[in-house]
């Protein structure tokens, strides 16, 4: 390629999904010349639709830290409705899990509900298109329906050629293109086989006519249970897999009647058939009558998509002059909605380090090695959680115990990021975050069990894996996990009721949920343990201001 004929940019980003467009917006905001290249065009179908409270929190941090208010427009149900469209999102008030056995009959089954701060379901074709337009408004350029046909990276620059015949050079390259990553292919970064233990494949589509699950099954209502199944992300779980139901029509302002529906299956248990994915879905429903009732009148509005094994990983995410964001580097499974939150988590330090690399004119891995370490840690943590979830789907008692490990880890992760930066935002001091640019310390972004010791997560994980190896019975494993949870002496005793196996309903906005949050904050100030102060201490003035707001 001739550099003389090439168009020059500071940063080229492959892919213009949410990762690419948000990063492009931030970098353009700080006067870098940014080009996004995408083989497809907007608007377009995409999954990765369920959002979590920690996803919303990370988006707010990104927005305030980099002074891009439009990013915060994605951070809550109300802000999406007001700034994009009420039909661009569904309403999410809970994570809902219903456990099914084959041919169980129309009786009530075991279930779990986790009520969270109001969040959203993203109708990605609208949301992604909005964010691309924001990036362009900040000065980023976009080439759609364009394929990279040649790529080279040397000590001086990145150079690439596209199928239109145009050539481009840049100082830095970010691959946000997903599974078919050109950079992974060019530099042979994929692990083969993947190191991930999770095994799953997927079929998915968008449907209309999906019933509210509240109308499908009659049961005695728990007097404390005020959460609707329809106002949340619904997971039908069963031995060997799970089904997601993500509605966009579950609030009165929406005119969008679509519901996202997908099935993830362990391919070792559910072999891929030669029939259509639509027929496979119907065959699965015939085995689970309490799931089938929700889809009696449902019709797909687009062709079903069927995948092979979902898991892929890379041995490296960065080298001189390039970085692969999470979806380009690897993927585990959609369970627990880790995809977007992990992507946004990486963007917080990545944007800062790219800006620093330009200020120092140093595009080596020097500023990116610890981000790569964080990203690989996120993947491995998610893989363990999801793999053990699939194992636990074989026995409700084991799933009931294991899901508490997920809740515990997610809660500690939210507390760390929330106390470190989120409290400033809630206190009306979000602009102070814009003073932080280098992100030298990214420990607060790690998913971990601080204070519980690394042994806790390792032991509960090994306990579930021993079930898969036939070394321990599921009920014994469940009892051991509950014992370990109840043996934790780091947190307030029986925090969130997680040590009570009959406690299947938890709403963070209920009087109990709020009192537990208050108990946690009081414990932080009174605990003599130095690690408590290290990870969770907060400014009382900020807390009072946040409560008043």
């Amino acid at each position: 390629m001739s550099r003389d004929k090439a168009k020059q940019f500071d940063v080229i980003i492959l892919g213009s999904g949410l990762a690419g467009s948000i990063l492009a917006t931030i970098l353009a905001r700080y006067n870098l010349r940014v080009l996004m290249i995408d083989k497809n065009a907007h608007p377009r179908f995409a999954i990765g639709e369920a959002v979590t409270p920690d996803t919303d929190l990370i988006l707010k941090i990104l927005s305030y830290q980099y002074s891009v208010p439009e990013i915060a427009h994605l951070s809550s149900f109300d802000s999406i409705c007001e700034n994009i469209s009420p039909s661009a999102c569904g309403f999410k008030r809970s994570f809902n899990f219903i456990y099914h056995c084959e041919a169980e009959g129309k009786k009530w089954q075991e279930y779990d509900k986790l009520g969270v701060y109001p969040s959203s379901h993203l109708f990605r074709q609208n949301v992604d298109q909005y964010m691309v337009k924001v990036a362009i408004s900040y000065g980023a350029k976009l080439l759609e329906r364009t394929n990279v046909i040649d790529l080279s990276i040397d000590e001086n620059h990145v150079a690439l050629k596209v199928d239109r015949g145009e050539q481009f050079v840049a100082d830095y390259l970010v691959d946000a293109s997903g599974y078919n990553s050109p950079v992974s292919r060019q530099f042979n970064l994929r692990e083969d086989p993947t190191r991930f233990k999770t095994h799953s494949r997927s079929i998915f589509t968008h449907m209309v006519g999906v019933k509210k699950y509240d109308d499908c099954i009659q049961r005695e209502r728990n007097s404390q249970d005020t959460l609707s199944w329809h106002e949340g992300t619904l997971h039908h779980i069963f031995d060997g897999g799970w089904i997601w139901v993500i509605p966009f029509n579950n609030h009165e302002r929406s005119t969008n009647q679509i519901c996202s529906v997908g099935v993830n299956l362990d391919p070792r248990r559910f072999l891929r058939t030669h029939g259509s994915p639509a027929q496979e879905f119907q065959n699965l429903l015939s085995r689970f009558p309490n799931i089938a009732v929700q889809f009696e009148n449902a019709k797909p509005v687009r062709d079903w998509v069927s995948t092979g094994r979902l898991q892929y990983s890379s041995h490296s995410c960065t080298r001189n002059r390039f970085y692969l964001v999470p979806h380009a580097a690897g993927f585990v499974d959609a369970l627990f909605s880790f995809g977007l939150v992990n992507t946004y988590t990486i963007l917080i330090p990545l944007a800062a380090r790219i800006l620093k690399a330009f200020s120092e004119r140093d595009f080596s891995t020097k500023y990116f090695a610890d981000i790569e370490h964080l990203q690989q840690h996120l993947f491995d943590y998610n893989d363990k959680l999801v793999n053990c979830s699939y194992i636990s789907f074989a026995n409700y008692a084991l799933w009931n115990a294991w899901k508490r490990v997920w809740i515990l880890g997610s809660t500690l992760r939210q507390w760390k990021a929330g106390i470190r930066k989120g409290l400033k935002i809630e206190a009306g001091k979000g602009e102070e975050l814009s003073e932080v640019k280098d992100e030298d310390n990214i420990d607060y972004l790690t998913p971990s069990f601080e204070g519980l010791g690394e042994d806790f997560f390792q032991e509960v994980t090994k306990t579930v894996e021993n079930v898969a190896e036939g070394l321990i019975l599921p009920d014994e494993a469940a009892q051991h996990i509950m014992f370990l949870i109840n043996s934790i002496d780091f947190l307030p005793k029986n925090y969130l009721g997680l040590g009570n196996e009959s406690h299947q309903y938890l709403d963070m906005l209920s009087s109990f949920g709020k009192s537990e949050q208050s108990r946690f904050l009081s414990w932080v100030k009174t605990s003599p343990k130095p690690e408590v102060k290290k990870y969770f201490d907060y400014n009382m003035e900020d807390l009072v201001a946040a409560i008043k707001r």
Side-chain angles (χ1 to χ4, degrees), residues 42-46 122-130 206 302:
H42 296 277
R44 65 191 184 205
F45 171 75
L122 303 181
F123 192 56
R124 289 289 301 272
Q125 68 182 56
N126 289 4
V127 174
D128 289 29
Q129 184 177 35
Y130 168 80
H206 280 170
R302 56 176 296 114

Side-chain angles (χ1 to χ4, degrees), residues 45 47 200-205 263-265 270-281 302-310:
F45 171 75
I47 57 172
S200 61
R201 64 181 179 88
S202 188
I203 59 173
F204 54 87
T205 190
V263 186
N264 278 20
L265 301 167
F270 293 84
L271 298 179
R272 197 171 182 183
T273 66
H274 295 295
S276 69
Q279 186 58 55
E280 183 174 21
F281 182 64
R302 56 176 296 114
D303 290 340
W304 284 84
V305 176
S306 178
T307 75
R309 187 182 175 191
L310 294 168

Side-chain angles (χ1 to χ4, degrees), residues 269-520:
R269 299 283 310 282
F270 293 84
L271 298 179
R272 197 171 182 183
T273 66
H274 295 295
S276 69
Q279 186 58 55
E280 183 174 21
F281 182 64
Q282 292 303 318
N283 292 343
L284 186 68
L285 293 182
S286 69
R287 299 166 64 171
F288 296 99
N290 282 345
I291 303 176
V293 65
Q294 188 171 19
F295 297 96
E296 287 176 340
N297 304 318
K299 291 181 171 52
V301 297
R302 56 176 296 114
D303 290 340
W304 284 84
V305 176
S306 178
T307 75
R309 187 182 175 191
L310 294 168
Q311 292 71 42
Y312 59 95
S313 56
S314 301
H315 56 75
S316 178
C317 307
T318 186
R319 289 185 186 171
N320 291 350
R321 294 190 181 272
F322 74 75
Y323 194 93
L324 276 68
V325 298
H327 268 77
F331 183 73
V332 179
D333 191 276
L335 189 64
F336 303 130
S337 305
F338 283 126
L340 288 177
V341 68
N342 286 349
T343 294
Y344 300 154
T345 296
I346 292 300
L347 292 187
I348 290 178
L350 181 61
R353 301 298 178 77
I354 291 174
L355 293 172
K356 187 169 186 176
F358 273 90
S359 69
E360 301 292 332
R361 302 303 299 173
D362 182 352
F363 302 103
S364 68
T365 61
K366 173 181 176 181
Y367 298 126
F368 304 97
D370 60 336
I371 305 177
E372 176 184 39
H373 178 75
L374 169 62
Q375 183 163 305
Q376 299 286 28
H377 182 52
L378 288 167
F379 280 135
D380 292 337
Y381 173 78
N382 295 351
D383 180 47
K384 290 175 182 177
L385 271 178
V386 174
N387 180 53
C388 287
S389 295
Y390 274 85
I391 296 170
S392 72
F393 288 166
N395 178 280
Y396 179 74
L398 183 56
W399 161 251
N400 185 36
W402 180 252
K403 66 109 186 307
R404 297 163 195 271
V405 177
W406 160 63
I407 293 173
L408 183 58
S410 295
T411 302
L412 291 177
R413 182 181 183 180
Q414 287 180 53
W415 274 120
K416 280 200 302 179
I419 285 174
R420 177 72 173 267
K421 293 191 175 182
L423 192 58
K424 287 287 185 186
I425 296 171
E426 298 304 321
K429 301 178 180 179
E431 66 279 357
E432 293 181 16
L433 299 186
S434 64
E435 300 170 7
V436 181
K437 288 294 185 292
D438 288 347
E439 281 292 340
D440 290 330
N441 183 355
I442 58 177
D443 286 348
Y444 75 99
L445 296 171
T446 58
S448 51
F449 294 86
E450 272 80 13
L452 311 186
E454 285 301 313
D455 289 347
F456 172 81
F457 190 53
Q458 291 176 7
E459 185 166 355
V460 292
T461 300
K462 187 60 179 174
T463 299
V464 177
E465 291 175 344
N466 283 343
V467 173
E469 296 172 13
L471 301 177
I472 186 175
L473 294 174
D475 287 342
E476 293 178 69
Q479 291 173 8
H480 186 57
I481 292 171
M482 294 305 300
F483 169 77
L484 292 172
I485 291 174
N486 280 303
S487 299
I488 294 171
D489 62 0
F490 175 72
L491 293 169
K493 187 173 178 58
N494 197 24
Y495 180 53
L496 297 175
L498 295 177
N500 182 353
E501 62 187 14
S502 65
H503 198 131
Q504 298 171 287
Y505 175 86
L506 172 61
D507 184 0
M508 299 301 288
L509 293 186
S510 67
S511 56
F512 172 76
K514 291 178 179 179
S515 68
E516 286 295 276
Q517 294 174 72
S518 296
R519 189 159 71 101
F520 183 92

